[in-house]
Amino acid sequence: MVTANLTMLVSIIDDDFSVRRALRRLVASAGFSVETFASGREFLDSDSPGRSHCIVLDIHLGGLSGFDVQERLQKMGVQIPVIFITAHDDAATQERVNGSGAVAYLRKPFEEHALLDAIERAIGKGGFPLK
């Protein structure tokens, strides 16, 4: 188990304010530093890509999708473990996630411990992808 501390930054990207607020509270209560973003563009335009230890990334965002954000980070040479979340689960999305190198894939609503376990796995083990 990783010992969380405020030097480990988790960035949460979700276009739903209530989801961002709830996830911020949960992740902060586990001892992580947290930043939230309403869009992929907002995240990419910030300095957080270079500082984040892990990203909790909604797949279905307005504008850039979560997959678009991950691809842009890869093109920028930024290696950050990604945990994809979504309320819209289907076979095509699952297949794309499996090929994305994501650390975890959580379907909303998910258990709090599932997200915290995924974050610990991402940060503690260098972000090993799904198998």
Side-chain angles (χ1 to χ4, degrees):
M1 179 179 213
V2 173
T3 303
N5 65 56
L6 293 176
T7 64
M8 294 183 208
L9 176 61
V10 176
S11 292
I12 298 169
I13 307 165
D14 196 301
D15 55 358
D16 183 319
F17 174 77
S18 62
V19 171
R20 282 194 316 275
R21 182 179 57 202
L23 294 181
R24 172 189 277 281
R25 288 178 180 164
L26 172 64
V27 175
S29 75
F32 295 99
S33 179
V34 182
E35 291 181 345
T36 61
F37 301 89
S39 71
R41 173 57 45 213
E42 182 183 357
F43 173 74
L44 292 170
D45 288 345
S46 74
D47 67 344
S48 290
R51 300 182 307 112
S52 297
H53 292 88
C54 175
I55 302 171
V56 177
L57 180 56
D58 189 17
I59 292 173
H60 298 283
L61 300 165
L64 297 174
S65 74
F67 293 124
D68 294 335
V69 172
Q70 184 190 37
E71 289 170 5
R72 290 192 184 197
L73 289 169
Q74 290 170 345
K75 287 179 183 176
M76 294 166 46
V78 177
Q79 299 296 319
I80 306 169
V82 173
I83 298 166
F84 279 121
I85 60 175
T86 189
H88 308 284
D89 187 35
D90 58 41
T93 300
Q94 290 175 17
E95 185 175 327
R96 191 155 179 201
V97 167
N98 288 335
S100 72
V103 174
Y105 176 51
L106 303 174
R107 292 153 199 90
K108 297 176 187 175
F110 45 81
E111 297 290 326
E112 292 178 353
H113 71 85
L115 178 61
L116 295 177
D117 289 349
I119 291 170
E120 288 184 1
R121 195 168 60 250
I123 292 175
K125 296 183 180 177
F128 291 121
L130 292 169
K131 299 202 187 241

